[in-house]
Amino acid sequence: MATSASLRAFATPRTVSAPLPPDPVLKVRALTVQFKEFVALNEVSLDLRNGCIHAVIGPNGAGKSTLFNAISGFIKPIRGQIELFGRDVTAWPANRLARLGLARSFQICAIFPELSVEENMLVAQAHASPPLRLLRRRVSGDLAPHSETLLARAGLTSDRRRQARELSYGRRRLLEIATTLALKPRLLLLDEPTSGLGREDIAPVVEMIADAARDCCVLLVEHNLKVVERLADHVTVLANGSVLSDGSYQEVARDHRVRAAYLGAATDA
Amino acid sequence: MSNLILSYLTIGLVNGSFYALLCLGLALIFGLLNILNMAHGALYMMGAFAAWAAVARLGLPYLTGLFVAAILVGSAGMMLERLLLRRTYSLDPLYGFMLSFGLATAIQGGFQVAFGSTGLPFTTPTWLSDVVDLGYAVFPVYRLWVVMVAFIVCLGVWIAIARTRAGATLRAASENATIAEALGVPIPAVMTATFGLGAALAGLAGALAAPIYQVSPLMGSDVLLVVFAIIVIGGMGSLGGTILAAYCLALLESATLAVFPQAANVMIFAFMCIVLSVRPQGLFGIEVLRQHSFAGIPPPVTATRDSLPSQNYERVLIMAMVAAVLALLPALLYPIFLVKIVCFAILAASFNFLLGFAGVMSFGQAALYGTAAYVTAHAMKEWAMSAELAILAGITAAILLGIVMGALAIRRRGIYQAMITLAVAQMVYFVFVQSSFTHGEDGLQAVPRGILFGLIDLRNDLAVYGLAVIAFCSVHFGIKRLLSSQLGMMLVAVRDDERRALSLGQNAWGLKLFAFAIAAGCAGLAGSLSAVAFQLATLSGAHWHLSGEAVLMCLIGGLGTLGGPLVGAAVLVTMQHFLAPYGAWVQVIQGVVFAACVLTFRDGMMPRHGFAWPSRLRGPSATSFAPAETLEETGRS
Ligand SMILES: Nc1ncnc2c1ncn2[C@@H]1O[C@H](COP(=O)(O)OP(=O)(O)OP(=O)(O)O)[C@@H](O)[C@H]1O
Ligand SMILES: [Mg+2]
């Protein structure tokens, strides 16, 4: 387990090595998403500052995953605007956003179970390869050094030829984050990266996130408030599809409405 | 004129009654059992026969006959579910679909053996045989009776499901069987009862249809496809929507009949294509009860599996043996018989490829095969094109059609894709039935074989055999090569988890279309080859029963194995050859073999060489990646 001090170090705004994207990196304005009559997101606005880890928290069903799906192009909002790296990307398809530098993970860990660990990484880097290369046979050497490093970082190098579905849940999570990072994203969306993980699996995931955040901005949904406290520079609280509170972890934690929403939800659950 | 239209619309209501009863049963069964029941048409036909037997043979009163038909077919349905279909619940829904297809084939074949293919007359009961003046037309009372009975029954079932306790149980079970079971709902019994209800509705529809249409073993086969198209348009999420769609589309169909009779057959299918392109989620927009995308079966060849020298040596040896056998075979067997095996093997391989790489179970491969056969035959016979160009033209036509079919199919998921391919295929079939260039039932005959590349005289059967072997090898090794390429890997990735692939920047849509195009090219190659070899292109080559046979071949040989299609084709063609003198028995045996393969012999004949078989298709154990679960989040968007 990394010490809390070393994690703290990442929690202050960092200098980002890539050419500086405009600020804010992600600008969400009055985003509204509806499923039939049900309003899942209601006029949500949010700014993600450059070099930040920004956490979105809220009780179950608050709309956090829906917000992620809308930002990453999986759900079309009925109103509102999304600006990414200074461009209006509202209603762009997901794969185009990915090529622009937005990478995401899913709440239910999403990997390709029938492919090997190594091939999972290859898929992530494949969009960068020229079409003719795709017809070539796959060989180990195709893995870019960057992906190789990530694989090692996730502790999966020795399992590279195993099928992904043979991995334990914790290691699948690591693999998912590794493939997400293999896109070399400028903005990383992580939906509950520690959900369903045992205590001993949480530490390496948190470390990987902290590590990745040195080179990109992170938007993070997380139920584990300890992790939020350690990682996040800024916290937005969602409840019932609206922004309830917004600020640093300490500010948000003091907000009595947030406490009420959380305690209310906690007693429901 | 308006009188004419009104009377056509009344006819539409009659057809709508049958569609509504069938759709309702299918939707109920699909909602709870997650099986797309291909045997529904057979159950409908059984209803007609049951009514016929009760009334014409035993002399029971007509109303009793209706009742008996519904009860008998319902009981038969319950038995089918209890004894056979139940065994597929723990497997991918694709197996339930295939099993019901096998059962339908066997049942229809059985009735053909017993009663012959020609229709049996069924007289309208005297008290309904009058006509009535509706003001705009004179109309048989019987048809109005049908409309009334069907409407009351549909409404009754609908209300019962919406309002009664039993209905609430059924809805709860359809929504989430696991939770309902935990709350004490006896799921297995509810499933049997639901299947029985669906079957009884089909039986009733058949019994009602008996006096209007002739009672014949194949009467349910084409209706079923229309019903599928209606379900794709209306969706199965709400029973009310399904019933409404059935009536509306029947009206549309009969309106077309009034205005432009040639198009009436294809109208519903064409409308389905339009709806899919404009509003992919269907007219009523609620399609999800549980959607599955088929896990498919590519043997994901791991790139890094470096072959050992000894394996290389073995491979050369095997190749040499295969080549020797191929060279010797024509000396033992009639070359054209072998070519038929090869054509079918390529067709089956195209099905296999699509299932494996796009996760689409396509019942449309025969339409592609038939299209290519017609184009090639026409080009050679009418335009005197050289063999290689004609084959190329056939393949191109098949690829174009395949891309259209694919673009429509991938707008939905899972079992809907199978229905869409079937419906598109049926539409193509109807177009062929009505076009003049296909020469209808006769087909294009005596197609000259010509000379390949101006060098090889194809009038020699051995040359055709050689061409077929080369074609098969290109397909076989081409697919194998694709499997081990990065592109193949990306196709598997899209099939495994489309959202994930999208979020990693893959163009999932394009990749799926690519898979469709490749598969269509293979099916087209098989079709063109058949036109050259048999000097013939007929309607039966474009009929969806041929697609069913392609599925059967893959199943016999082993779904997802590279060699499976060839082995399966050899077995099936041989079987058909030797059973040919027994007429309809072929159907029965084929159906039984199909069902038996699904139930007991799922792995087929070819060994799987340590290739991984996706967990979802392997059975009850490994289901940690149930597709339903992964679709939960955005499947509805
Ligand atoms: N595709 C959909 N169709 C209909 N309703 C949906 C859909 N997706 C989400 N919802 C509803 O929207 C609401 C917000 O869901 P969302 O998944 O965004 O919540 P969440 O904040 O991520 O909750 P959790 O902490 O449980 O992950 C929920 O009430 C959910 O039922
Ligand atoms: Mg969520």
Side-chain angles (χ1 to χ4, degrees):
Chain A
M1 181 90 183
T3 62
S4 131
S6 74
L7 286 170
R8 275 263 181 237
F10 300 124
T12 47
R14 292 154 300 273
T15 43
V16 174
S17 52
L20 270 182
D23 209 39
V25 177
L26 173 72
K27 203 159 107 185
V28 176
R29 284 291 167 269
L31 197 68
T32 303
V33 170
Q34 228 169 320
F35 298 113
K36 303 260 154 55
E37 279 82 53
F38 175 71
V39 183
L41 283 184
N42 187 12
E43 307 268 324
V44 170
S45 298
L46 158 153
D47 279 332
L48 175 54
R49 307 221 73 84
N50 200 358
C52 269
I53 297 184
H54 189 137
V56 178
I57 62 174
N60 288 111
K64 306 178 296 291
S65 298
T66 307
L67 175 65
F68 268 33
N69 286 341
I71 294 175
S72 57
F74 284 95
I75 290 179
K76 286 212 179 78
I78 58 163
R79 270 195 307 280
Q81 202 192 13
I82 303 167
E83 225 173 79
L84 183 64
F85 311 130
R87 297 166 78 167
D88 185 354
V89 297
T90 322
W92 275 31
N95 55 337
R96 207 166 149 210
L97 288 168
R99 284 159 194 235
L100 195 64
L102 179 149
R104 70 164 292 180
S105 72
F106 291 85
Q107 185 166 350
I108 302 167
C109 178
I111 50 168
F112 305 113
E114 305 302 336
L115 295 179
S116 70
V117 167
E118 191 170 66
E119 286 164 344
N120 266 277
M121 297 298 284
L122 274 175
V123 173
Q125 67 177 52
H127 75 278
S129 38
L132 271 185
R133 238 189 100 140
L134 296 179
L135 290 175
R136 284 196 353 203
R137 243 173 241 285
R138 300 162 239 171
V139 285
S140 274
D142 285 347
L143 223 51
H146 174 64
S147 309
E148 210 58 80
T149 318
L150 284 168
L151 214 51
R153 191 83 182 74
L156 289 166
T157 313
S158 57
D159 290 317
R160 56 192 309 157
R161 297 197 186 169
R162 282 177 69 186
Q163 280 211 313
R165 73 174 136 81
E166 295 171 9
L167 301 177
S168 70
Y169 192 80
R171 313 195 70 203
R172 281 190 218 162
R173 250 311 173 206
L174 285 169
L175 174 61
E176 189 192 18
I177 294 177
T179 50
T180 311
L181 292 173
L183 276 177
K184 297 195 183 162
R186 291 192 283 163
L187 170 60
L188 187 60
L189 266 55
L190 299 171
D191 196 350
E192 301 196 23
T194 65
S195 79
L197 295 189
R199 192 176 278 264
E200 67 287 353
D201 287 328
I202 292 185
V205 170
V206 170
E207 260 181 80
M208 251 183 117
I209 297 171
D211 214 26
R214 268 184 275 205
D215 305 313
C216 68
C217 316
V218 180
L219 191 62
L220 173 77
V221 169
E222 187 51 70
H223 273 307
N224 186 335
L225 292 182
K226 280 203 189 109
V227 174
V228 174
E229 186 179 6
R230 277 191 195 147
L231 289 177
D233 310 309
H234 197 98
V235 178
T236 297
V237 186
L238 275 187
N240 292 327
S242 313
V243 177
L244 195 67
S245 180
D246 194 78
S248 72
Y249 183 80
Q250 281 73 20
E251 283 163 16
V252 167
R254 275 197 299 272
D255 193 327
H256 62 273
R257 286 171 308 171
V258 175
R259 285 165 173 267
Y262 253 89
L263 290 176
T267 45
D268 284 352
Chain B
M1 184 65 198
S2 70
N3 280 357
L4 192 66
I5 289 186
L6 275 176
S7 50
Y8 271 112
L9 289 184
T10 320
I11 295 177
L13 277 184
V14 179
N15 284 337
S17 306
F18 298 129
Y19 296 161
L21 285 170
L22 290 170
C23 285
L24 182 60
L26 268 181
L28 280 174
I29 293 172
F30 183 75
L32 181 62
L33 282 67
N34 210 6
I35 286 182
L36 182 66
N37 182 22
M38 291 287 281
H40 221 66
L43 293 170
Y44 167 84
M45 175 272 291
M46 284 163 71
F49 270 97
W52 173 81
V55 177
R57 279 285 172 90
L58 300 178
L60 295 176
Y62 169 74
L63 281 181
T64 321
L66 273 192
F67 207 68
V68 166
I71 299 286
L72 270 184
V73 176
S75 323
M78 290 209 266
M79 257 166 58
L80 286 183
E81 194 274 344
R82 254 277 130 88
L83 297 177
L84 301 171
L85 287 169
R86 169 150 302 181
R87 293 160 198 266
T88 65
Y89 294 162
S90 55
L91 307 169
D92 193 285
L94 138 95
Y95 284 110
F97 181 62
M98 291 197 290
L99 177 58
S100 62
F101 177 73
L103 292 176
T105 315
I107 294 173
Q108 282 169 350
F111 275 78
Q112 263 173 301
V113 170
F115 299 99
S117 302
T118 48
L120 302 167
F122 187 106
T123 40
T124 315
T126 41
W127 55 281
L128 287 171
S129 57
D130 232 349
V131 290
V132 53
D133 192 351
L134 292 176
Y136 51 85
V138 187
F139 224 73
V141 173
Y142 184 79
R143 308 215 166 186
L144 301 181
W145 157 257
V146 167
V147 173
M148 195 185 72
V149 172
F151 188 74
I152 291 173
V153 169
C154 284
L155 200 68
V157 172
W158 188 46
I159 290 177
I161 287 169
R163 291 287 145 79
T164 65
R165 254 186 94 90
T169 314
L170 176 60
R171 276 183 293 137
S174 305
E175 197 75 35
N176 191 328
T178 323
I179 293 180
E181 185 148 39
L183 294 175
V185 176
I187 291 294
V190 174
M191 283 180 159
T192 309
T194 306
F195 199 90
L197 176 62
L201 288 171
L204 179 69
L208 284 171
I212 300 182
Y213 307 109
Q214 295 224 308
V215 180
S216 80
L218 291 179
M219 64 190 283
S221 151
D222 282 352
V223 177
L224 187 67
L225 298 197
V226 178
V227 168
F228 281 171
I230 293 173
I231 282 177
V232 171
I233 297 169
M236 287 195 272
S238 92
L239 294 180
T242 312
I243 297 174
L244 189 66
Y247 278 109
C248 293
L249 288 161
L251 289 179
L252 177 75
E253 187 185 41
S254 57
T256 320
L257 198 62
V259 183
F260 187 43
Q262 294 89 331
N265 272 338
V266 295
M267 193 59 214
I268 290 184
F269 300 108
F271 191 71
M272 179 196 82
C273 298
I274 296 171
V275 168
L276 280 174
S277 10
V278 183
R279 221 182 119 80
Q281 69 273 41
L283 272 195
F284 298 99
I286 335 158
E287 98 172 18
V288 185
L289 287 175
R290 246 166 300 154
Q291 281 189 344
H292 282 263
S293 60
F294 294 134
I297 325 86
V301 179
T302 311
T304 41
R305 188 191 300 131
D306 307 310
S307 53
L308 303 169
S310 70
Q311 277 176 327
N312 269 336
Y313 168 72
E314 265 175 39
R315 205 180 286 169
V316 171
L317 200 71
I318 290 175
M319 293 278 215
M321 268 159 55
V322 169
V325 169
L326 285 177
L328 283 177
L329 265 182
L332 303 171
L333 295 163
Y334 186 49
I336 293 303
F337 174 79
L338 295 172
V339 174
K340 185 165 185 193
I341 293 181
V342 170
C343 284
F344 277 19
I346 298 176
L347 178 67
S350 89
F351 166 83
N352 209 14
F353 173 81
L354 206 51
L355 184 60
F357 280 94
V360 178
M361 164 126 191
S362 167
F363 263 68
Q365 297 311 100
L368 306 168
Y369 179 93
T371 304
Y374 274 129
V375 169
T376 302
H378 189 79
M380 288 174 74
K381 193 174 174 186
E382 307 292 329
W383 301 335
M385 222 183 231
S386 67
E388 66 279 1
L389 282 181
I391 291 178
L392 204 63
I395 294 175
T396 312
I399 290 180
L400 291 179
L401 181 60
I403 288 176
V404 172
M405 190 187 276
L408 289 168
I410 61 180
R411 297 185 145 243
R412 293 285 191 85
R413 285 169 204 278
I415 202 81
Y416 282 92
Q417 294 181 324
M419 287 197 268
I420 292 168
T421 54
L422 248 178
V424 173
Q426 183 74 350
M427 185 167 79
V428 172
Y429 179 78
F430 278 135
V431 170
F432 285 149
V433 168
Q434 299 198 335
S435 321
S436 55
F437 88 97
T438 59
H439 296 282
E441 294 289 329
D442 298 338
L444 283 163
Q445 295 181 353
V447 178
R449 276 188 186 162
I451 293 175
L452 194 68
F453 300 118
L455 286 175
I456 304 158
D457 190 349
L458 288 177
R459 277 168 298 184
N460 180 349
D461 283 351
L462 277 179
V464 176
Y465 172 73
L467 178 65
V469 168
I470 292 172
F472 180 79
C473 290
S474 340
V475 168
H476 180 88
F477 290 106
I479 288 179
K480 198 167 165 183
R481 182 65 179 66
L482 191 58
L483 264 168
S484 60
S485 74
Q486 288 211 22
L487 197 57
M489 171 191 79
M490 281 154 62
L491 288 167
V492 175
V494 170
R495 188 216 61 195
D496 260 7
D497 190 338
E498 188 176 338
R499 284 179 324 160
R500 184 62 183 150
L502 278 170
S503 75
L504 291 175
Q506 305 296 348
N507 181 355
W509 199 77
L511 285 167
K512 282 194 202 175
L513 265 192
F514 173 74
F516 258 96
I518 297 278
C522 295
L525 173 62
S528 296
L529 207 57
S530 79
V532 173
F534 315 134
Q535 304 180 277
L536 190 69
T538 58
L539 280 172
S540 65
H543 196 271
W544 62 277
H545 279 163
L546 182 62
S547 301
E549 285 177 3
V551 182
L552 178 56
M553 287 180 251
C554 291
L555 201 57
I556 293 176
L559 281 168
T561 57
L562 279 169
L566 185 58
V567 175
V571 172
L572 193 77
V573 173
T574 311
M575 198 171 87
Q576 283 177 345
H577 182 76
F578 286 109
L579 291 176
Y582 301 102
W585 278 108
V586 181
Q587 295 290 313
V588 180
I589 291 174
Q590 226 162 279
V592 170
V593 169
F594 209 132
C597 281
V598 173
L599 287 174
T600 62
F601 194 56
R602 273 187 295 281
D603 283 350
M605 295 171 65
M606 290 299 282
R608 215 167 290 285
H609 286 314
F611 288 149
W613 179 256
S615 42
R616 274 168 261 165
L617 281 174
R618 236 175 321 161
S621 54
T623 45
S624 49
F625 279 95
E629 177 183 271
T630 44
L631 278 171
E632 209 63 64
E633 263 184 282
T634 52
R636 272 165 276 196
S637 59

